[in-house]
């Protein structure tokens, strides 16, 4: 049995599409789980409740923690440590391996390339929280209390990634006949992970025994594109004439945040779009002998 905690999210759906290559026993767990594959088992559980989490994990060989919480630092601070502790304890009790899907917030601003060896140096509240929960898992692994791993991804783009920045500022606007928008500096390199590649990486890593007790970066194209490059490709794919994007500064985001809560929460993460953001996944490419999807192919599929 392989169990997905946080079923029906973007990466959980992509992971679910790949897991049948490895098992015909897949359990989807969330407050309102839905099937991705016909044979999926559905379990309703609140990961803030240990008893429910333990029951959901019972009998699992591999557990994938892909849960998403409301994009609010206060909620993250209150709930993420509980979710992580409940999951770790449930896995330890049941002898389950744990795969935690993470982001790069714990790294903070990196002057150079982000790799699996990049130290935690968060410069945001959300980054501090992610560093704390990742360290909780890494400490358990170091103490040989369970087998686990962390798989990290850069910012998302891809089919169904409705919460990704590029979905609302580029894809939907261009398809509606409007001009693209960007936050921060569109001339800075900004790496994006294609969501199907993220799901594929998690599936491969979770079913590769030697991959455990390590950190991995999800397959991500090595092409060093800027925000403007992404926008130009989108225009080209849609056979539209390129127009200079409307750029939103930190001041503009902060101002809109007075009316849009998610943007208010995004202000502290603006450093990711004001500086170079280069993410390397060559470790996974070499170890698993796979290649990431090119941006042109990925954006084409996304715009469909």
């Amino acid at each position: 049995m392989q169990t997905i905690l946080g079923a029906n999210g973007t990466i959980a759906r992509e992971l679910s599409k790949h897991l049948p290559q490895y098992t015909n026993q897949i359990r989807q767990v969330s407050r309102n789980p839905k099937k991705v594959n016909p044979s999926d088992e559905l379990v309703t559980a609140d990961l803030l409740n240990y008893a429910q989490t333990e029951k959901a994990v019972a009998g699992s060989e591999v557990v994938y923690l892909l849960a998403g919480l409301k994009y609010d630092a206060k909620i993250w601070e209150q709930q993420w440590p509980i979710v992580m502790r409940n999951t770790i304890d449930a896995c330890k009790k049941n002898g389950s391996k744990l795969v935690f899907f993470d982001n790069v917030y714990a790294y903070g601003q990196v002057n150079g390339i982000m790799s699996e060896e990049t130290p935690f140096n968060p410069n945001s509240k959300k980054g501090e929280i992610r560093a704390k929960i990742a360290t909780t898992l890494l400490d358990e692994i170091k103490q040989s209390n369970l087998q686990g791993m962390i798989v990290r991804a850069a910012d998302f783009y891809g089919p169904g990634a409705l919460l990704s920045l590029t979905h609302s500022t580029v894809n939907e606007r261009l398809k509606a006949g409007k001009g693209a928008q960007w936050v921060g500096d569109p001339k800075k390199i900004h790496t994006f992970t294609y969501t199907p590649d993220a799901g594929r990486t998690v599936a491969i890593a979770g079913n590769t025994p030697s991959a455990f007790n390590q950190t991995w970066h999800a397959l991500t194209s090595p092409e060093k594109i800027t925000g403007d490059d992404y926008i130009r490709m989108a225009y080209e794919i849609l056979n539209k004439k390129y127009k200079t994007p409307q750029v939103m500064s930190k001041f503009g985001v902060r101002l809109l945040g007075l009316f849009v809560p998610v943007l208010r929460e995004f202000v502290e993460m603006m450093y990711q779009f004001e500086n170079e953001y280069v993410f390397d996944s060559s470790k996974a490419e070499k170890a698993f002998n796979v290649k990431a999807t090119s941006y042109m192919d990925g954006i084409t599929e996304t715009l469909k």
Side-chain angles (χ1 to χ4, degrees):
M1 176 67 69
Q2 298 201 14
T3 296
I4 299 172
L5 303 181
N8 307 127
T10 302
I11 305 305
R13 290 195 302 270
E14 295 295 344
L15 169 62
S16 299
K17 295 174 186 177
H18 290 283
L19 283 185
Q21 301 174 48
Y22 307 100
T23 179
N24 59 5
Q25 293 183 302
I26 300 168
R27 181 183 292 158
Q28 304 283 356
V29 180
S30 73
R31 290 179 177 176
N32 185 29
K34 297 179 177 64
K35 289 187 177 184
V36 177
N37 308 293
S39 62
D40 288 353
E41 176 187 343
L42 303 183
V43 173
T44 300
D46 179 354
L47 300 181
L48 293 169
N49 181 298
Y50 174 71
Q52 292 182 28
T53 304
E54 196 279 321
K55 184 177 179 180
V57 166
S60 302
E61 178 185 359
V62 182
V63 172
Y64 302 91
L65 179 55
L66 277 68
L69 300 179
K70 183 179 179 182
Y71 199 70
D72 183 306
K74 290 182 179 179
I75 291 176
W76 280 25
E77 186 173 29
Q78 295 165 358
Q79 297 185 0
W80 257 122
I82 298 172
V83 169
M84 179 58 78
R85 176 46 58 192
N86 286 348
T87 303
I88 288 173
D89 289 349
C91 286
K92 287 164 66 174
K93 180 176 180 179
N94 288 281
S96 307
K97 299 177 182 179
L98 176 57
V99 179
F100 174 45
F101 186 75
D102 199 7
N103 59 31
V104 300
Y105 289 8
Y107 294 155
Q109 183 179 330
V110 179
N111 296 317
I113 298 173
M114 289 179 271
S115 74
E116 290 86 350
E117 302 303 318
T118 298
F120 293 170
N121 187 29
N123 57 339
S124 66
K125 185 63 179 178
K126 296 184 190 67
E128 291 173 2
I129 296 163
R130 300 302 290 212
K132 179 180 178 180
I133 62 172
T135 299
T136 298
L137 174 57
L138 291 171
D139 286 347
E140 293 280 356
I141 293 170
K142 288 177 184 176
Q143 293 165 20
S144 300
N145 293 333
L146 85 168
Q147 290 194 62
M149 75 170 75
I150 295 175
V151 179
R152 285 200 176 86
D155 284 334
F156 297 153
Y157 81 104
L162 304 184
L163 298 180
S164 65
L165 177 81
T166 54
H167 175 77
S168 57
T169 61
V170 182
N171 306 343
E172 293 303 291
R173 289 185 65 84
L174 294 193
K175 288 194 285 186
K178 301 176 182 179
Q181 296 176 326
W182 199 257
V183 296
D185 187 348
K187 301 299 182 183
K188 296 291 186 182
I189 294 171
H190 196 98
T191 307
F192 289 94
T193 299
Y194 185 49
T195 49
D197 283 349
R200 179 162 56 121
T201 308
V202 175
I204 295 172
N207 287 278
T208 303
S210 61
F212 280 87
N213 305 333
Q214 299 183 58
T215 294
W216 298 90
H217 277 184
L219 289 170
T220 298
S221 174
E223 304 164 79
K224 291 182 173 61
I225 68 166
T226 64
D228 197 53
D229 291 332
Y230 185 104
I231 292 167
R232 286 180 183 277
M233 281 188 269
Y235 271 109
E236 179 182 341
I237 291 162
L238 293 173
N239 293 313
K240 293 177 180 287
K241 184 178 179 181
Y242 170 80
K243 295 179 182 178
T244 302
Q246 175 188 357
V247 177
M248 200 180 306
S249 66
K250 181 182 286 186
F251 175 78
V253 173
R254 183 175 284 115
L255 189 63
L256 282 175
L258 296 174
F259 310 98
V260 185
V262 71
L263 288 179
R264 184 164 60 245
E265 288 291 325
F266 183 70
V267 171
E268 70 167 349
M269 308 311 303
M270 281 286 291
Y271 71 88
Q272 296 183 314
F273 291 86
E274 296 170 328
N275 301 281
E276 304 282 83
Y277 176 102
V278 185
F279 182 88
D280 175 67
S281 67
S282 58
K283 177 183 174 181
E285 287 196 14
K286 293 173 183 175
F288 305 138
N289 193 29
V290 287
K291 295 290 184 184
T293 304
S294 70
Y295 284 111
M296 184 60 80
D297 288 345
I299 296 171
T300 298
E301 288 300 313
T302 301
L303 289 172
K304 285 182 180 180

